[in-house]
Coordinates of all heavy atoms in Angstrom, one line a residue:
M1 N 22.3 26.0 107.1 CA 21.6 26.8 106.1 C 21.0 25.9 105.0 O 21.6 24.9 104.6 CB 22.6 27.8 105.5 CG 21.9 28.9 104.7 SD 23.1 30.2 104.2 CE 23.1 31.2 105.6
S2 N 19.8 26.2 104.6 CA 19.1 25.4 103.6 C 19.3 25.9 102.2 O 20.0 26.9 102.0 CB 17.7 25.3 103.9 OG 17.1 26.6 103.7
N3 N 18.6 25.3 101.2 CA 18.6 25.8 99.9 C 17.6 26.9 99.7 O 17.3 27.3 98.5 CB 18.3 24.7 98.9 CG 19.4 23.8 98.6 OD1 20.6 24.1 98.8 ND2 19.2 22.6 98.2
E4 N 17.1 27.5 100.7 CA 16.1 28.5 100.7 C 16.5 29.6 99.7 O 15.7 30.0 98.9 CB 15.8 29.0 102.1 CG 14.9 30.2 102.1 CD 14.8 30.9 103.5 OE1 15.5 30.4 104.4 OE2 14.0 31.8 103.6
F5 N 17.7 30.2 99.9 CA 18.1 31.3 99.1 C 18.4 31.0 97.6 O 18.2 31.8 96.7 CB 19.2 32.1 99.7 CG 18.6 33.0 100.9 CD1 18.8 32.6 102.2 CD2 17.9 34.1 100.6 CE1 18.3 33.3 103.2 CE2 17.4 34.9 101.6 CZ 17.6 34.5 102.9
C6 N 18.9 29.8 97.4 CA 19.1 29.3 96.0 C 17.7 29.3 95.3 O 17.6 29.7 94.1 CB 19.8 28.0 96.0 SG 21.5 28.0 96.5
M7 N 16.7 28.7 95.9 CA 15.4 28.7 95.3 C 14.8 30.1 95.2 O 14.2 30.4 94.1 CB 14.4 27.8 96.2 CG 14.8 26.4 96.1 SD 13.7 25.2 97.0 CE 12.9 26.1 98.2
K8 N 15.0 30.9 96.2 CA 14.5 32.3 96.1 C 15.2 33.1 94.9 O 14.5 33.8 94.2 CB 14.7 33.1 97.4 CG 13.7 32.7 98.5 CD 14.0 33.6 99.7 CE 12.9 33.4 100.7 NZ 13.0 34.4 101.8
L9 N 16.4 32.9 94.8 CA 17.2 33.5 93.7 C 16.7 33.0 92.4 O 16.4 33.9 91.4 CB 18.7 33.3 93.8 CG 19.6 33.8 92.7 CD1 19.4 35.4 92.7 CD2 21.0 33.4 92.9
N10 N 16.5 31.7 92.2 CA 15.9 31.2 90.9 C 14.6 31.8 90.6 O 14.3 32.2 89.5 CB 15.9 29.7 91.0 CG 17.2 29.0 90.9 OD1 18.2 29.6 90.3 ND2 17.3 27.8 91.4
N11 N 13.7 31.8 91.6 CA 12.3 32.3 91.4 C 12.3 33.8 91.1 O 11.6 34.2 90.3 CB 11.5 32.0 92.7 CG 11.2 30.5 92.8 OD1 11.3 29.7 91.9 ND2 10.9 30.1 94.0
A12 N 13.1 34.5 91.8 CA 13.2 36.0 91.6 C 13.7 36.3 90.2 O 13.2 37.1 89.5 CB 14.1 36.7 92.6
T13 N 14.7 35.5 89.7 CA 15.3 35.7 88.4 C 14.2 35.4 87.3 O 14.1 36.2 86.4 CB 16.5 34.8 88.2 OG1 17.5 35.1 89.2 CG2 17.1 35.0 86.8
Q14 N 13.4 34.3 87.5 CA 12.4 34.0 86.6 C 11.3 35.1 86.6 O 10.9 35.5 85.5 CB 11.7 32.7 87.0 CG 12.5 31.5 86.6 CD 11.8 30.2 86.9 OE1 11.1 30.1 87.9 NE2 12.0 29.2 86.1
R15 N 10.9 35.6 87.7 CA 9.9 36.6 87.8 C 10.4 37.9 87.1 O 9.6 38.6 86.4 CB 9.5 36.9 89.2 CG 8.4 37.9 89.3 CD 7.8 38.1 90.7 NE 7.2 36.8 91.1 CZ 6.7 36.6 92.3 NH1 6.8 37.5 93.3 NH2 6.1 35.4 92.6
L16 N 11.6 38.3 87.3 CA 12.2 39.5 86.8 C 12.5 39.5 85.3 O 12.3 40.4 84.6 CB 13.4 40.0 87.6 CG 13.1 40.4 89.0 CD1 14.4 40.5 89.8 CD2 12.3 41.7 89.1
F17 N 13.1 38.3 84.9 CA 13.7 38.3 83.6 C 13.1 37.2 82.6 O 13.5 37.2 81.5 CB 15.2 38.1 83.7 CG 15.9 39.1 84.5 CD1 16.4 38.7 85.7 CD2 16.0 40.4 84.2 CE1 17.1 39.6 86.6 CE2 16.6 41.3 85.0 CZ 17.2 40.9 86.2
G18 N 12.2 36.4 83.1 CA 11.6 35.4 82.3 C 12.7 34.4 81.8 O 13.5 33.9 82.5
N19 N 12.6 34.2 80.5 CA 13.6 33.3 79.9 C 14.8 33.9 79.3 O 15.6 33.3 78.6 CB 12.9 32.4 78.8 CG 11.9 31.5 79.3 OD1 12.0 31.1 80.5 ND2 10.9 31.2 78.5
I20 N 15.0 35.2 79.5 CA 16.1 36.0 78.9 C 17.4 35.5 79.5 O 18.4 35.3 78.8 CB 15.9 37.5 79.1 CG1 14.6 37.9 78.4 CG2 17.1 38.3 78.6 CD1 14.2 39.4 78.6
V21 N 17.4 35.5 80.9 CA 18.6 35.0 81.6 C 18.1 34.1 82.7 O 17.0 34.1 83.1 CB 19.5 36.1 82.2 CG1 20.1 36.9 81.1 CG2 18.7 37.0 83.1
R22 N 19.0 33.4 83.3 CA 18.7 32.5 84.5 C 19.8 32.7 85.5 O 20.9 33.2 85.2 CB 18.5 31.1 84.1 CG 19.8 30.4 83.5 CD 19.5 29.0 83.1 NE 20.7 28.4 82.5 CZ 21.7 27.8 83.1 NH1 21.6 27.8 84.5 NH2 22.7 27.4 82.5
S23 N 19.5 32.3 86.7 CA 20.6 32.4 87.8 C 21.3 31.1 87.9 O 20.8 30.0 87.5 CB 19.9 32.7 89.1 OG 19.1 31.7 89.5
A24 N 22.6 31.2 88.3 CA 23.4 30.0 88.6 C 24.3 30.4 89.7 O 24.8 31.5 89.8 CB 24.3 29.7 87.3
V25 N 24.5 29.5 90.6 CA 25.4 29.7 91.7 C 26.5 28.6 91.6 O 26.3 27.4 91.6 CB 24.7 29.5 93.1 CG1 25.7 29.7 94.2 CG2 23.5 30.5 93.2
V26 N 27.8 29.1 91.4 CA 28.9 28.2 91.2 C 29.9 28.4 92.3 O 30.0 29.5 92.9 CB 29.6 28.5 89.8 CG1 28.6 28.2 88.7 CG2 30.0 29.9 89.7
A27 N 30.6 27.3 92.6 CA 31.5 27.3 93.7 C 32.8 26.7 93.3 O 32.9 25.8 92.4 CB 31.0 26.5 94.9
Q28 N 33.9 27.1 93.9 CA 35.2 26.5 93.6 C 36.0 26.6 94.9 O 35.8 27.4 95.8 CB 35.9 27.2 92.5 CG 36.2 28.7 92.8 CD 36.8 29.4 91.6 OE1 36.4 29.2 90.5 NE2 37.7 30.3 91.8
E29 N 37.0 25.6 95.0 CA 37.9 25.6 96.1 C 38.9 26.7 96.0 O 39.3 27.1 94.9 CB 38.6 24.2 96.2 CG 37.6 23.2 96.8 CD 38.4 21.9 97.0 OE1 38.6 21.1 96.1 OE2 38.8 21.7 98.2
T30 N 39.4 27.2 97.2 CA 40.4 28.2 97.2 C 41.6 27.6 97.9 O 41.6 26.5 98.4 CB 40.0 29.4 98.0 OG1 39.9 29.1 99.4 CG2 38.6 29.9 97.4
N31 N 42.7 28.4 98.0 CA 43.9 28.0 98.7 C 43.9 28.5 100.2 O 44.8 28.3 100.9 CB 45.1 28.5 98.0 CG 45.4 27.8 96.7 OD1 45.1 26.6 96.6 ND2 45.9 28.5 95.8
D32 N 42.8 29.1 100.6 CA 42.6 29.7 101.9 C 42.1 28.6 102.8 O 41.0 28.1 102.7 CB 41.6 30.8 101.9 CG 41.5 31.5 103.2 OD1 41.9 31.0 104.2 OD2 41.0 32.7 103.2
H33 N 42.9 28.2 103.8 CA 42.6 27.1 104.7 C 41.4 27.5 105.7 O 40.7 26.6 106.1 CB 43.8 26.6 105.5 CG 44.8 26.0 104.7 ND1 44.7 24.8 104.1 CD2 46.1 26.5 104.3 CE1 45.7 24.5 103.4 NE2 46.6 25.5 103.5
E34 N 41.3 28.8 106.0 CA 40.2 29.2 106.9 C 38.9 29.3 106.1 O 37.8 29.2 106.7 CB 40.6 30.6 107.5 CG 41.7 30.4 108.5 CD 42.1 31.8 109.1 OE1 41.2 32.7 109.2 OE2 43.2 31.9 109.5
R35 N 38.9 29.7 104.8 CA 37.7 29.8 104.0 C 38.0 29.1 102.7 O 38.2 29.8 101.7 CB 37.3 31.3 103.8 CG 37.1 32.0 105.1 CD 36.8 33.5 104.9 NE 37.8 34.1 104.0 CZ 37.7 35.3 103.5 NH1 36.6 36.1 103.8 NH2 38.6 35.8 102.8
P36 N 37.9 27.8 102.7 CA 38.4 27.1 101.5 C 37.4 27.1 100.3 O 37.7 26.6 99.2 CB 38.6 25.7 102.0 CG 37.7 25.5 103.1 CD 37.6 26.9 103.8
W37 N 36.2 27.7 100.5 CA 35.2 27.7 99.4 C 34.8 29.1 99.0 O 34.5 29.9 99.9 CB 34.0 26.9 99.7 CG 34.3 25.4 99.7 CD1 34.6 24.6 100.8 CD2 34.3 24.6 98.6 NE1 34.8 23.4 100.4 CE2 34.7 23.3 99.1 CE3 34.2 24.8 97.2 CZ2 34.8 22.2 98.2 CZ3 34.3 23.7 96.4 CH2 34.7 22.4 96.9
F38 N 34.7 29.4 97.7 CA 34.3 30.6 97.1 C 33.1 30.3 96.2 O 33.2 29.4 95.5 CB 35.4 31.3 96.4 CG 34.9 32.5 95.6 CD1 34.7 33.7 96.2 CD2 34.8 32.4 94.2 CE1 34.3 34.8 95.5 CE2 34.3 33.5 93.5 CZ 34.1 34.7 94.1
A39 N 32.1 31.1 96.3 CA 30.9 30.9 95.4 C 30.4 32.3 94.8 O 30.6 33.3 95.5 CB 29.8 30.3 96.1
E40 N 29.9 32.2 93.6 CA 29.3 33.4 93.0 C 27.9 33.1 92.6 O 27.6 32.0 92.0 CB 30.1 33.8 91.7 CG 31.3 34.5 91.9 CD 32.0 35.0 90.6 OE1 31.6 34.5 89.5 OE2 32.8 35.9 90.7
A41 N 27.0 34.0 92.8 CA 25.6 34.0 92.2 C 25.7 34.8 91.0 O 26.1 36.0 91.0 CB 24.6 34.5 93.2
R42 N 25.3 34.2 89.9 CA 25.4 34.9 88.6 C 24.1 34.9 87.8 O 23.3 34.0 88.0 CB 26.4 34.2 87.7 CG 27.8 34.0 88.3 CD 28.6 33.1 87.4 NE 30.0 33.0 87.9 CZ 30.9 32.2 87.3 NH1 30.5 31.4 86.4 NH2 32.1 32.2 87.8
L43 N 23.9 35.9 86.9 CA 22.9 35.8 85.9 C 23.7 35.3 84.7 O 24.7 35.8 84.3 CB 22.3 37.2 85.6 CG 21.4 37.8 86.7 CD1 20.9 39.1 86.2 CD2 20.3 36.9 87.0
V44 N 23.2 34.2 84.0 CA 23.8 33.7 82.9 C 22.9 33.6 81.7 O 21.6 33.5 81.9 CB 24.4 32.3 83.2 CG1 25.5 32.4 84.3 CG2 23.3 31.3 83.6
G45 N 23.4 33.5 80.5 CA 22.6 33.3 79.3 C 22.2 31.8 79.2 O 22.0 31.1 80.2
H46 N 22.2 31.3 78.0 CA 21.8 29.9 77.8 C 22.9 28.9 78.2 O 22.6 27.7 78.3 CB 21.4 29.7 76.3 CG 20.2 30.6 76.0 ND1 18.9 30.4 76.5 CD2 20.1 31.7 75.2 CE1 18.1 31.3 76.0 NE2 18.8 32.1 75.3
S47 N 24.1 29.4 78.4 CA 25.2 28.5 78.9 C 25.7 29.1 80.2 O 25.8 30.3 80.3 CB 26.2 28.5 77.8 OG 27.5 28.1 78.3
D48 N 26.2 28.2 81.0 CA 26.8 28.7 82.3 C 28.1 29.5 82.0 O 28.5 30.3 82.8 CB 27.2 27.5 83.2 CG 25.9 26.9 83.9 OD1 24.9 27.6 83.9 OD2 26.1 25.8 84.5
D49 N 28.7 29.3 80.8 CA 29.8 30.1 80.5 C 29.5 31.5 80.0 O 30.4 32.4 79.9 CB 30.6 29.4 79.4 CG 31.2 28.1 79.9 OD1 31.5 27.9 81.1 OD2 31.3 27.2 79.0
D50 N 28.2 31.8 79.7 CA 27.8 33.0 79.2 C 27.3 33.9 80.4 O 26.1 34.1 80.6 CB 26.6 32.8 78.2 CG 26.1 34.1 77.6 OD1 26.8 35.1 77.6 OD2 25.0 34.1 77.0
V51 N 28.3 34.4 81.2 CA 27.9 35.2 82.4 C 27.5 36.6 82.0 O 28.2 37.3 81.3 CB 29.2 35.3 83.3 CG1 28.8 36.1 84.6 CG2 29.6 33.9 83.8
V52 N 26.3 36.9 82.4 CA 25.8 38.3 82.1 C 26.1 39.2 83.2 O 26.5 40.4 83.0 CB 24.2 38.2 82.0 CG1 23.6 39.6 81.8 CG2 23.9 37.3 80.8
Y53 N 26.0 38.8 84.5 CA 26.3 39.7 85.6 C 26.5 38.9 86.9 O 25.9 37.8 87.1 CB 25.1 40.6 85.8 CG 25.3 41.8 86.7 CD1 25.9 42.9 86.2 CD2 25.1 41.8 88.1 CE1 26.2 44.0 87.0 CE2 25.3 42.8 88.9 CZ 25.9 44.0 88.3 OH 26.2 45.1 89.1
V54 N 27.5 39.3 87.7 CA 27.7 38.6 89.0 C 26.8 39.4 90.0 O 27.0 40.6 90.2 CB 29.2 38.7 89.4 CG1 29.3 38.1 90.8 CG2 30.0 37.9 88.4
L55 N 25.9 38.7 90.7 CA 25.0 39.3 91.6 C 25.5 39.3 93.0 O 25.2 40.3 93.8 CB 23.7 38.5 91.7 CG 22.9 38.4 90.3 CD1 21.8 37.4 90.5 CD2 22.4 39.7 89.9
G56 N 26.3 38.3 93.4 CA 26.8 38.3 94.8 C 27.8 37.2 94.9 O 27.9 36.3 94.0
W57 N 28.6 37.2 96.0 CA 29.6 36.2 96.2 C 29.8 36.0 97.6 O 29.4 36.9 98.5 CB 30.9 36.6 95.5 CG 31.4 38.0 95.8 CD1 31.2 39.2 95.2 CD2 32.3 38.3 96.9 NE1 31.8 40.2 95.8 CE2 32.5 39.7 96.9 CE3 32.9 37.6 97.9 CZ2 33.3 40.4 97.8 CZ3 33.7 38.2 98.9 CH2 33.9 39.6 98.8
A58 N 30.5 34.9 98.0 CA 30.8 34.6 99.4 C 31.9 33.6 99.5 O 32.2 32.8 98.6 CB 29.5 34.0 100.1
F59 N 32.6 33.7 100.6 CA 33.6 32.7 101.1 C 33.0 32.0 102.3 O 32.3 32.6 103.1 CB 34.9 33.4 101.5 CG 35.7 33.9 100.3 CD1 35.6 35.2 99.9 CD2 36.6 33.1 99.7 CE1 36.4 35.7 98.9 CE2 37.4 33.6 98.7 CZ 37.3 34.9 98.3
A60 N 33.4 30.7 102.4 CA 32.9 29.9 103.6 C 33.7 28.7 103.8 O 34.6 28.3 102.9 CB 31.4 29.5 103.4
T61 N 33.5 28.0 104.9 CA 34.3 26.8 105.2 C 33.7 25.6 104.5 O 34.4 24.6 104.4 CB 34.3 26.6 106.8 OG1 32.9 26.5 107.2 CG2 35.0 27.7 107.5
K62 N 32.5 25.6 104.1 CA 31.8 24.5 103.4 C 31.3 25.0 102.1 O 30.8 26.1 102.0 CB 30.6 24.0 104.3 CG 31.0 23.6 105.7 CD 31.6 22.2 105.7 CE 31.8 21.8 107.1 NZ 32.6 20.6 107.3
K63 N 31.3 24.1 101.1 CA 30.8 24.5 99.8 C 29.4 24.9 99.8 O 29.0 25.9 99.2 CB 31.0 23.2 98.9 CG 30.6 23.5 97.4 CD 30.8 22.2 96.6 CE 30.4 22.4 95.2 NZ 30.7 21.2 94.4
K64 N 28.5 24.1 100.4 CA 27.1 24.4 100.5 C 26.8 25.8 101.1 O 26.0 26.6 100.6 CB 26.3 23.3 101.2 CG 24.8 23.5 101.2 CD 24.1 22.4 101.9 CE 22.7 22.5 102.0 NZ 22.1 23.8 101.9
M65 N 27.6 26.1 102.2 CA 27.4 27.3 102.9 C 27.8 28.5 102.0 O 27.1 29.5 101.9 CB 28.2 27.4 104.2 CG 28.0 28.7 105.0 SD 29.1 28.7 106.4 CE 28.3 27.5 107.4
A66 N 28.9 28.4 101.2 CA 29.3 29.4 100.3 C 28.3 29.7 99.3 O 28.0 30.8 98.9 CB 30.7 29.0 99.7
K67 N 27.7 28.6 98.7 CA 26.7 28.7 97.7 C 25.4 29.4 98.2 O 24.9 30.3 97.6 CB 26.3 27.4 97.1 CG 27.5 26.8 96.2 CD 27.1 25.5 95.6 CE 26.2 25.6 94.4 NZ 26.1 24.4 93.6
D68 N 25.0 29.0 99.4 CA 23.8 29.6 100.0 C 24.0 31.1 100.3 O 23.2 31.9 100.1 CB 23.4 28.8 101.3 CG 22.8 27.5 101.0 OD1 22.4 27.2 99.8 OD2 22.8 26.7 101.9
L69 N 25.2 31.4 100.9 CA 25.5 32.8 101.2 C 25.6 33.7 99.9 O 25.1 34.8 99.9 CB 26.8 32.9 102.0 CG 26.7 32.4 103.4 CD1 28.1 32.4 104.0 CD2 25.8 33.2 104.3
A70 N 26.2 33.1 98.9 CA 26.2 33.9 97.6 C 24.8 34.1 97.0 O 24.5 35.1 96.5 CB 27.1 33.1 96.6
A71 N 24.0 33.0 97.1 CA 22.6 33.1 96.6 C 21.8 34.1 97.4 O 21.1 34.9 96.8 CB 21.9 31.7 96.7
K72 N 22.0 34.2 98.7 CA 21.3 35.2 99.6 C 21.8 36.6 99.1 O 20.9 37.5 99.0 CB 21.7 34.9 101.0 CG 21.0 35.9 101.9 CD 21.3 35.7 103.4 CE 20.6 36.7 104.3 NZ 20.8 36.5 105.7
A73 N 23.1 36.8 98.9 CA 23.6 38.1 98.5 C 23.0 38.5 97.2 O 22.6 39.6 96.9 CB 25.1 38.1 98.5
G74 N 22.9 37.5 96.3 CA 22.3 37.8 94.9 C 20.9 38.1 95.0 O 20.4 39.1 94.4
F75 N 20.1 37.4 95.8 CA 18.7 37.7 96.0 C 18.5 39.0 96.6 O 17.6 39.8 96.1 CB 18.0 36.6 96.9 CG 16.6 36.8 97.2 CD1 15.6 36.6 96.2 CD2 16.2 37.3 98.4 CE1 14.3 36.9 96.5 CE2 14.9 37.5 98.7 CZ 13.9 37.3 97.7
E76 N 19.2 39.4 97.6 CA 19.1 40.7 98.2 C 19.4 41.8 97.3 O 18.8 42.9 97.3 CB 19.9 40.8 99.5 CG 19.4 39.8 100.6 CD 18.0 40.1 101.1 OE1 17.5 41.2 100.9 OE2 17.3 39.1 101.5
W77 N 20.4 41.6 96.4 CA 20.8 42.6 95.5 C 19.7 42.8 94.4 O 19.4 43.9 94.1 CB 22.1 42.2 94.7 CG 22.6 43.3 93.8 CD1 23.4 44.3 94.2 CD2 22.3 43.5 92.5 NE1 23.6 45.2 93.1 CE2 22.9 44.6 92.0 CE3 21.5 42.7 91.5 CZ2 22.8 45.1 90.7 CZ3 21.5 43.2 90.2 CH2 22.1 44.4 89.8
L78 N 19.1 41.7 94.0 CA 18.0 41.8 93.0 C 16.8 42.6 93.7 O 16.2 43.5 93.0 CB 17.5 40.5 92.6 CG 18.3 39.7 91.6 CD1 17.7 38.3 91.3 CD2 18.4 40.5 90.3
R79 N 16.5 42.3 94.9 CA 15.5 43.0 95.6 C 15.8 44.5 95.7 O 14.9 45.4 95.5 CB 15.3 42.5 97.0 CG 14.5 41.2 97.1 CD 14.3 40.7 98.4 NE 13.5 41.7 99.2 CZ 13.4 41.7 100.5 NH1 13.9 40.7 101.2 NH2 12.7 42.6 101.1
S80 N 17.0 44.9 96.0 CA 17.4 46.3 96.1 C 17.3 47.0 94.8 O 17.0 48.2 94.7 CB 18.8 46.4 96.7 OG 19.8 46.1 95.8
Q81 N 17.6 46.3 93.7 CA 17.6 46.9 92.4 C 16.2 47.0 91.7 O 16.0 47.7 90.7 CB 18.5 46.1 91.4 CG 20.0 46.2 91.9 CD 20.5 47.6 92.0 OE1 20.5 48.4 91.0 NE2 21.0 48.0 93.1
H82 N 15.3 46.2 92.2 CA 13.9 46.2 91.6 C 12.9 46.3 92.7 O 12.0 45.4 93.0 CB 13.7 44.9 90.9 CG 14.7 44.6 89.8 ND1 14.5 45.2 88.6 CD2 15.9 44.0 89.7 CE1 15.6 44.9 87.8 NE2 16.4 44.1 88.5
P83 N 12.9 47.5 93.5 CA 12.0 47.6 94.6 C 10.5 47.6 94.2 O 9.6 47.4 95.0 CB 12.4 48.9 95.2 CG 13.0 49.7 94.1 CD 13.7 48.6 93.2
S84 N 10.2 47.9 93.0 CA 8.8 48.0 92.5 C 8.2 46.6 92.3 O 7.0 46.5 92.1 CB 8.6 48.9 91.3 OG 9.3 48.3 90.2
I85 N 9.0 45.6 92.2 CA 8.6 44.2 91.9 C 8.5 43.5 93.3 O 9.5 43.5 94.0 CB 9.5 43.5 91.0 CG1 9.8 44.2 89.7 CG2 9.0 42.1 90.7 CD1 8.6 44.4 88.8
D86 N 7.3 43.0 93.6 CA 7.1 42.3 94.9 C 7.8 40.9 94.8 O 7.3 40.0 94.1 CB 5.7 42.2 95.2 CG 5.4 41.6 96.6 OD1 6.3 41.4 97.4 OD2 4.2 41.2 96.8
L87 N 8.8 40.7 95.6 CA 9.5 39.4 95.7 C 9.3 38.8 97.1 O 10.0 37.8 97.4 CB 11.0 39.6 95.4 CG 11.3 40.1 94.0 CD1 12.8 40.3 93.8 CD2 10.8 39.2 92.9
S88 N 8.4 39.4 97.9 CA 8.3 38.9 99.3 C 7.6 37.6 99.4 O 7.8 36.9 100.4 CB 7.5 40.0 100.1 OG 6.2 40.1 99.6
D89 N 6.9 37.1 98.4 CA 6.2 35.8 98.5 C 7.1 34.7 98.0 O 6.6 33.6 97.9 CB 4.9 35.9 97.7 CG 5.1 36.2 96.2 OD1 6.2 36.8 95.8 OD2 4.3 35.8 95.4
L90 N 8.3 34.9 97.7 CA 9.2 33.8 97.2 C 9.8 33.1 98.3 O 10.1 33.5 99.3 CB 10.3 34.4 96.2 CG 9.8 35.2 95.0 CD1 10.9 35.8 94.2 CD2 8.9 34.3 94.1

């Protein structure tokens, strides 16, 4: 899986919210040996600690995969919540 959805999520967030909030995808290790990585796609304020909303999340065997899956879930959630905004070209 590529960074495709991380870029799409960033672009969609900019189109929808401008400079008000931005997207961030954060990952952390878990104690689960089958799915050792957890990631969240978030809308954040000016600091990564200023979480406005969690858009999506995922567990995976690899850190990058967890981040990409969370970004995809976040992008799809934004699309579902803003159907009148065309995000198909991102």
